[in-house]
């Protein structure tokens, strides 16, 4: 059966592209399934699939690894997070129909200033707050019949161990240094902003809230060192970022000049301590992005970066919203280059649902 279906991941992603208004009709006309392809259980539709094995009966070496963002738990799940996850679930099921071994990763990002503030507003500790909201995501994915394989929480011990090992690897490569920084900071983006990209009254263009002036003594990642490598990567592999107009955005950011970015906070307690300085915690993106790798680590194993990477990395597809494209298509590849780890195969930034 799998051999009869000739669609690839590009075809699946094509359906998410808002420029293709006839996507649904095209998909319906091209795919013809046998009547018994689907089985019903509790009112939901589940896809059956063939196992992709060779003549010796062994599994293929490279699984199809698909990720959603690790959702930030400062607030409950919402329509936008459901949108990404439903789309990812459809792609994962389709890849299973092709006979591939799929590892579908989702989870929650649970560290940072916003989360500590949300917990305080609700009268609970950060840990209690994270437990409640993370469980709300799991409950919603169950209600929506999301067939994920891995659910990672960034508060898990195995994740912390892998983040610290990754940090130490990048530090050993000479790409982390300490410096003072002063600038306008968006708490919701967890990012310092250039004044030229802000709206009136120094408002973040995404969250429409004023950025706050901050001065901190933090650790920085030498992102600027990887400008030429990132430019070459996108030139040699134009499918790395999709759709094509998102690639244009990323290339524009890189060509305008990359600046080193802060990877720690001195003023935030709720986070993973910096290995060589317990007065600082690791910046949320330098922590959360590693969840895509730590999710691959089996609970029974002693957590290590090497073991996790050997369990399925690189990811075949990061499916994300357009608001976090810079972190996934610029910061993340450079971080991986520094640590000597292979890049994901594709980053797809979809648009927003509006209501």
């Amino acid at each position: 059966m799998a051999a009869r279906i000739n669609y690839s991941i590009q075809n699946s992603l094509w359906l998410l592209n808002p420029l293709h208004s006839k996507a649904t009709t095209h998909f319906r006309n091209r795919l013809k399934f046998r009547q018994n392809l689907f089985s019903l259980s509790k009112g939901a539709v589940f896809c059956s699939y063939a196992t992709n094995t060779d003549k010796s009966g062994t599994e293929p070496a490279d699984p199809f690894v698909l990720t959603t963002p690790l959702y930030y738990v400062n607030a409950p799940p919402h329509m936008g997070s459901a949108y990404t996850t439903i789309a990812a679930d459809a792609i994962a099921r389709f890849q299973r129909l092709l006979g591939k071994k799929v590892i579908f990763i989702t989870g929650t990002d649970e560290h940072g200033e916003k989360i500590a503030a949300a917990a305080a507003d609700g009268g609970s500790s950060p840990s209690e707050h994270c437990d409640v909201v993370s469980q709300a995501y799991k409950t919603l994915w169950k209600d929506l019949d999301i067939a994920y394989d891995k659910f990672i929480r960034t508060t898990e011990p195995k994740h912390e161990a892998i983040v610290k090992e990754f940090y130490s690897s990048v530090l050993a490569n000479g790409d982390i240094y300490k410096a003072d920084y002063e600038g306008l900071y968006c708490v919701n983006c967890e990012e310092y902003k250039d004044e030229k990209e802000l709206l009136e009254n120094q408002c973040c263009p995404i969250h429409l809230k004023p950025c706050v002036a901050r001065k901190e003594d933090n650790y920085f990642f030498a992102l600027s060192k990887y400008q030429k490598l990132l430019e070459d990567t996108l030139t040699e592999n134009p499918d790395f970022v999709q759709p094509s107009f998102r690639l244009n955005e990323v290339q524009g950011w890189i060509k305008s000049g990359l600046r080193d970015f802060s990877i720690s906070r001195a003023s935030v307690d709720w986070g993973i301590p910096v290995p060589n300085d317990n007065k600082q915690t690791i910046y949320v993106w330098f922590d959360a992005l590693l969840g895509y790798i730590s999710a691959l680590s089996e609970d029974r194993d002693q957590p290590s970066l090497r073991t996790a990477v050997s369990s399925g990395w690189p990811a075949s597809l990061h499916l994300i919203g357009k608001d976090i494209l810079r972190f996934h298509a610029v910061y993340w590849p450079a971080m991986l280059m520094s640590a000597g780890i292979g890049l994901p195969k594709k980053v797809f930034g979809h648009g927003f649902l509006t209501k």
Side-chain angles (χ1 to χ4, degrees):
M1 179 193 71
R4 296 175 59 191
I5 305 175
N6 60 3
Y7 266 62
S8 65
I9 185 60
Q10 284 80 10
N11 299 102
S12 303
L13 291 175
W14 187 79
L15 300 174
L16 296 178
N17 192 334
L19 299 181
H20 301 303
S21 60
K22 298 182 180 179
T24 304
T25 302
H26 177 86
F27 186 67
R28 185 168 54 242
N29 290 342
R30 287 291 301 275
L31 281 181
K32 300 183 183 298
F33 297 112
R34 296 199 307 263
Q35 280 188 321
N36 63 351
L37 178 61
F38 298 104
S39 59
L40 297 179
S41 175
K42 296 183 180 179
V45 177
F46 293 89
C47 297
S48 60
Y49 61 93
T51 303
N52 185 22
T53 57
D54 60 23
K55 293 181 180 179
S56 65
T58 58
E59 288 289 333
D62 298 322
F64 185 90
V65 179
L66 163 69
T67 74
T68 72
L70 303 188
Y71 298 109
Y72 215 38
V73 297
N74 62 306
H78 55 78
M79 183 171 67
S81 44
Y83 172 46
T84 310
T85 311
I86 291 169
D89 186 59
I91 294 170
R93 290 169 185 264
F94 188 84
Q95 293 300 311
R96 294 185 190 112
L97 286 173
L98 296 179
K100 297 180 183 178
K101 177 185 176 182
V102 172
I103 303 176
F104 175 13
I105 296 170
T106 188
T108 46
D109 174 9
E110 303 184 14
H111 290 135
E113 184 176 358
K114 278 196 298 185
I115 291 168
D121 290 343
S124 64
S125 69
S127 178
E128 292 168 336
H129 172 87
C130 290
D131 288 344
V132 170
V133 180
S134 183
Q135 184 57 48
Y137 274 96
K138 288 184 177 181
T139 299
L140 179 59
W141 299 161
K142 182 178 180 180
D143 290 343
L144 293 175
D145 293 313
I146 302 298
Y148 61 82
D149 300 289
K150 304 278 188 180
F151 190 103
I152 184 69
R153 298 180 59 182
T154 60
T155 49
E156 293 181 44
K158 69 176 182 180
H159 175 75
E160 179 172 344
I162 286 172
V163 168
K164 287 182 174 179
E165 186 180 348
F166 183 90
Y167 180 98
S168 298
S169 177
V170 175
L171 178 66
N173 196 38
D175 290 338
I176 293 176
Y177 62 92
K178 198 172 187 180
D180 288 330
Y181 188 83
E182 185 173 6
L184 294 170
Y185 184 76
C186 175
V187 174
N188 290 280
C189 286
E190 299 276 11
E191 182 186 27
Y192 282 98
K193 298 288 188 179
D194 288 330
E195 287 196 54
K196 63 184 179 182
E197 63 181 306
L198 299 179
L199 306 177
E200 291 184 7
N201 301 319
Q202 298 178 334
C203 285
C204 169
I206 296 174
H207 296 100
L208 306 180
K209 294 181 180 180
C211 295
V212 295
R214 284 196 177 170
K215 183 178 181 180
E216 286 190 346
D217 183 24
N218 299 139
Y219 291 94
F220 283 75
F221 173 67
L223 178 65
S224 58
K225 174 180 172 180
Y226 292 91
Q227 175 149 349
K228 182 64 165 58
L229 277 172
L230 288 169
E231 288 177 347
D232 291 346
T233 296
L234 294 180
T235 299
E236 294 166 9
N237 183 15
D239 289 334
F240 178 67
V241 178
Q242 288 190 353
S244 58
F245 54 86
R246 301 278 182 234
L247 173 64
N248 294 338
E249 289 180 48
V250 173
Q251 289 176 319
W253 292 331
I254 295 173
K255 288 177 182 178
S256 67
L258 295 179
R259 297 191 310 166
D260 299 350
F261 69 93
S262 173
I263 61 171
S264 75
R265 293 288 179 269
S267 58
V268 179
D269 294 328
W270 181 242
I272 297 173
V274 170
N276 59 324
D277 187 347
N278 59 14
K279 294 181 180 178
Q280 302 241 358
T281 54
I282 295 176
Y283 169 70
V284 64
W285 287 104
F286 209 81
D287 163 6
L289 289 165
L290 267 296
Y292 300 135
I293 292 178
S294 64
L296 295 168
S297 179
E298 297 293 342
D299 293 335
R300 64 179 180 271
D301 296 335
Q302 182 69 25
S304 77
L305 188 57
R306 181 176 180 178
T307 301
V309 167
S310 67
S311 298
W313 193 260
S316 306
L317 171 67
H318 288 322
L319 185 61
I320 60 168
K322 63 180 182 179
D323 55 325
I324 53 176
L325 181 63
R326 187 196 304 263
F327 305 106
H328 286 77
V330 181
Y331 290 16
W332 182 223
M335 289 162 54
L336 291 167
M337 289 173 181
S338 177
I341 298 173
L343 305 191
K345 297 177 183 177
K346 193 181 303 293
V347 176
F348 188 97
H350 65 71
F352 292 158
L353 292 177
T354 56
K355 60 177 179 177

